[in-house]
Amino acid sequence: MKKWYTIACLLCLLAGMAACKKFLEVKPLDTLSGNDFWKTKGDAEKAINGAYSVLLDKFLEGTLYNTGDFRPGNWNWFNKRNLRALGTNDLLSGELCWNCTDGSGRVVDWSMFYRAIASANLCADRIPGINHPDFGAREKKALAAEARFIRDFIYFYMVRLYGDVPLQMDPYNTSIRPREKMEKVLEVCMQDLDACKDDLPLSYEDPTNRAVRATKGAALTLMVHMNMWLAGFDKAKQQQYWQKAADLSKQVIDLGVYELLPYTKETFKNLFKGRSQEGIFELSLDANYGVNFHSLIAQWTLHEPIIHSSGDLFGGYGSEITPMIKHLDRLYPRGEPDKRFELWFDDPYSTRNPQSAMFLKFSAVTDPSTRDYDANFIFFRYADLLLLRAEALSYLTQDAEAIALLNQIRDRAGARRYAGSGGRGLQDAIFTEREKELMGEGHLWYDLVRTGRVTDRNQCEDYLTTEQYTRRAWTWPIYNGAVTNNPMITQNEYWIQ
């Protein structure tokens, strides 16, 4: 059984290699199986790249990356019915189903996530056992730790989508499993990360690997996010989780690897294209290596002269969706200075036509005619980490440092400094700063959920009642195929029909 499961996992891993990146060279697939594999450092690197590639393929399926931006509903959807379904919590709607007859497109199917986990599990198990004179112990530990990071990152992402999920850390255990409580899943992953974080490099010599391969800073930042998520749901341990998040975020700062870059017309597009000194973890999208993607938020928020507007809206000068003005005014009070508002928005109030507003943050266009984008999926960056630390410190009543961190972000943006005191006012200010700073980077819905602010109708259009929140209306429905194939899988309570 172990032999055949190993082969199955390897085939799964190799299937993801179609999107291999510059930092690895891949030899023909028919030479990577059987006795020829798991022999050298090159084999280990190719296997790690395969795990990244399967994960990337999942995000290339559709709008998953920007789900966190769309589910709050703070946009004018116009004719984008599929995005409107996301922004109104209509997740069983046929509007989310493309080219399917069995409902398989109605929810985020988790099977590819588990393919990537299987690949990472196999790498973590097999790499330490490779015996080759050119593959030292330190390098083996680093690559095995990279596999463990990939696995733990996927579990974190899945927990935020589904809540409880099956936990599989053993590459050879083929038994079906029920969903584990999300708190347990994250606790197991944090223990795993804590055990391997010091084996990861601080950085890579090759600049093309910046932020797109796991580092110690990425592992620590992932643990910060996990602790902040757990603090939102395990009230008995909130103080413990906030303190851990504060301690871990300080370790990231002390690495001295990351920095905030200036917001100028010349630099901001490159920052959000990826691989900047602010990037902590990203998935690489590079049109030069055959990775084309056109389901990023920029596709629907740009028009001429940056891209050709879909359907020739208003002669090419109409965006398919635009930010709601009432939420822009909440984030950016009129007359208040802020470089982000100046740089990231064109005609924000749609004065030229009803859909003329543009959100320019991700306007790194590869080819305006194809509407494909050459910009990474940015998951963690330094500004995000600093604001998470500020938030944790504010809950711990360490207000002076929390305010200093908040003002560090505001100073970079040329915005007015926070001059208030601690408590709820400071926490509100930090949350609003995260909403502004991370707009378009997929964080807002998850921030609303973990803090309970998703029940505040002033913060989001797609708000939940307390009863809906308790029944986990914030999750996605579990894919019908998963429930059918595994009798131990139960549907999320809110989505039981």
Side-chain angles (χ1 to χ4, degrees):
M1 174 64 74
K2 180 175 179 178
K3 173 184 176 183
W4 289 110
Y5 189 69
T6 299
I7 293 173
C9 285
L10 182 58
L11 290 174
C12 170
L13 182 152
L14 296 177
M17 288 189 174
C20 290
K21 303 298 174 292
K22 180 180 178 182
F23 65 82
L24 293 176
E25 295 179 1
V26 180
K27 58 183 181 177
L29 298 185
D30 60 2
T31 70
L32 295 180
S33 59
N35 294 330
D36 186 46
F37 204 62
W38 303 114
K39 297 293 185 182
T40 67
K41 177 182 176 181
D43 290 343
E45 290 177 328
K46 294 176 181 70
I48 288 290
N49 193 45
Y52 277 119
S53 295
V54 177
L55 178 58
L56 175 61
D57 285 345
K58 177 60 185 174
F59 282 93
L60 292 176
E61 282 187 331
T63 60
L64 176 59
Y65 177 75
N66 286 123
T67 290
D69 298 295
F70 296 150
R71 284 196 69 178
N74 299 348
W75 298 80
N76 299 304
W77 303 118
F78 301 109
N79 291 325
K80 295 300 294 183
R81 295 191 301 273
N82 60 322
L83 300 185
R84 182 188 300 277
L86 280 175
T88 55
N89 217 31
D90 191 11
L91 303 186
L92 295 177
S93 168
E95 300 293 351
L96 292 177
C97 182
W98 296 278
N99 300 321
C100 58
T101 59
D102 61 355
S104 61
R106 293 181 181 176
V107 297
V108 176
D109 178 4
W110 66 25
S111 60
M112 194 172 290
F113 279 132
Y114 279 106
R115 281 183 54 204
I117 287 170
S119 298
N121 281 345
L122 190 62
C123 289
D125 178 77
R126 297 301 299 272
I127 288 173
I130 295 176
N131 185 15
H132 190 279
D134 296 329
F135 196 15
R138 179 176 295 182
E139 292 174 305
K140 284 192 283 188
K141 285 184 177 181
L143 285 173
E146 194 165 3
R148 293 161 72 176
F149 170 85
I150 295 169
R151 170 180 65 196
D152 297 332
F153 172 80
I154 296 170
Y155 276 122
F156 169 67
Y157 215 93
M158 290 179 67
V159 157
R160 298 191 304 170
L161 292 171
Y162 308 108
D164 306 337
V165 296
L167 180 63
Q168 172 63 285
M169 307 289 274
D170 182 349
Y172 307 113
N173 188 331
T174 60
S175 61
I176 61 173
R177 295 168 178 269
R179 297 167 68 193
E180 292 281 0
K181 294 292 185 183
M182 64 178 182
E183 292 86 352
K184 178 181 177 181
V185 172
L186 294 186
E187 287 285 3
V188 169
C189 289
M190 287 195 297
Q191 292 171 12
D192 189 42
L193 288 165
D194 189 55
C196 72
K197 68 181 187 304
D198 292 330
D199 294 330
L200 289 164
L202 295 183
S203 60
Y204 294 88
E205 292 184 7
D206 185 347
T208 63
N209 289 337
R210 181 188 292 274
V212 300
R213 293 189 63 184
T215 59
K216 183 175 181 178
L220 290 168
T221 301
L222 177 54
M223 294 168 72
V224 172
H225 272 276
M226 288 177 172
N227 276 283
M228 294 301 285
W229 183 267
L230 287 169
F233 291 92
D234 191 343
K235 305 300 183 184
K237 296 182 180 178
Q238 269 188 334
Q239 291 289 321
Q240 173 185 327
Y241 289 127
W242 287 330
Q243 187 61 60
K244 192 65 175 176
D247 294 343
L248 291 165
S249 57
K250 180 64 162 58
Q251 291 182 45
V252 178
I253 294 170
D254 290 345
L255 294 176
V257 174
Y258 310 105
E259 62 179 284
L260 295 178
L261 300 177
Y263 278 156
T264 68
K265 289 183 179 180
E266 294 74 29
T267 62
F268 92 89
K269 289 185 181 180
N270 286 332
L271 192 163
F272 295 110
K273 189 172 181 177
R275 288 189 174 90
S276 78
Q277 291 169 299
E278 196 164 326
I280 296 178
F281 181 63
E282 308 166 1
L283 283 179
S284 176
L285 286 174
D286 194 331
N288 292 324
Y289 296 93
V291 183
N292 297 313
F293 186 63
H294 56 272
S295 291
L296 197 66
I297 192 171
Q299 178 184 4
W300 304 294
T301 59
L302 298 175
H303 57 63
E304 299 283 5
I306 298 176
I307 64 170
H308 180 65
S309 181
S310 177
D312 200 31
L313 290 167
F314 298 97
Y317 288 88
S319 300
E320 292 184 85
I321 66 173
T322 61
M324 285 188 174
I325 290 177
K326 73 174 185 177
H327 289 292
L328 278 182
D329 284 343
R330 175 173 59 82
L331 295 175
Y332 300 101
R334 301 193 191 196
E336 291 283 326
D338 198 306
K339 292 179 183 178
R340 292 166 298 194
F341 187 69
E342 297 167 10
L343 293 171
W344 297 354
F345 298 92
D346 179 71
D347 193 25
Y349 307 118
S350 294
T351 59
R352 291 192 284 271
N353 67 58
Q355 294 175 236
S356 60
M358 286 198 289
F359 178 55
L360 301 169
K361 189 175 186 180
F362 294 97
S363 53
V365 180
T366 300
D367 184 343
S369 64
T370 63
R371 299 166 62 85
D372 288 328
Y373 295 89
D374 188 9
N376 289 354
F377 292 121
I378 298 174
F379 295 102
F380 305 145
R381 62 183 176 92
Y382 196 44
D384 159 42
L385 182 280
L386 294 179
L387 287 170
L388 278 184
R389 175 168 171 76
E391 182 183 343
L393 291 173
S394 73
Y395 292 134
L396 295 168
T397 66
Q398 298 180 37
D399 298 333
E401 186 175 355
I403 292 170
L405 288 165
L406 171 60
N407 282 332
Q408 189 175 348
I409 301 300
R410 290 191 172 189
D411 288 346
R412 192 258 293 264
R416 295 187 190 278
R417 306 192 103 215
Y418 179 78
S421 57
R424 180 70 183 195
L426 175 58
Q427 292 156 15
D428 288 346
I430 293 170
F431 188 92
T432 300
E433 203 66 27
R434 282 186 63 80
E435 186 175 358
K436 287 194 288 187
E437 180 67 29
L438 302 176
M439 185 177 182
E441 298 176 55
H443 288 270
L444 180 56
W445 179 254
Y446 310 116
D447 283 347
L448 288 165
V449 168
R450 67 176 176 78
T451 61
R453 293 170 184 264
V454 74
T455 61
D456 183 351
R457 67 179 64 199
N458 295 315
Q459 301 246 227
C460 54
E461 299 298 304
D462 188 17
Y463 66 90
L464 304 178
T465 66
T466 301
E467 184 266 343
Q468 289 173 327
Y469 180 78
T470 301
R471 294 176 58 220
R472 295 198 172 179
W474 53 266
T475 63
W476 277 82
I478 304 300
Y479 173 48
N480 287 336
V483 177
T484 301
N485 295 331
N486 182 351
M488 301 178 75
I489 297 294
T490 57
Q491 181 59 271
N492 281 319
E493 179 186 355
Y494 181 80
W495 300 108
I496 296 174
Q497 294 181 304

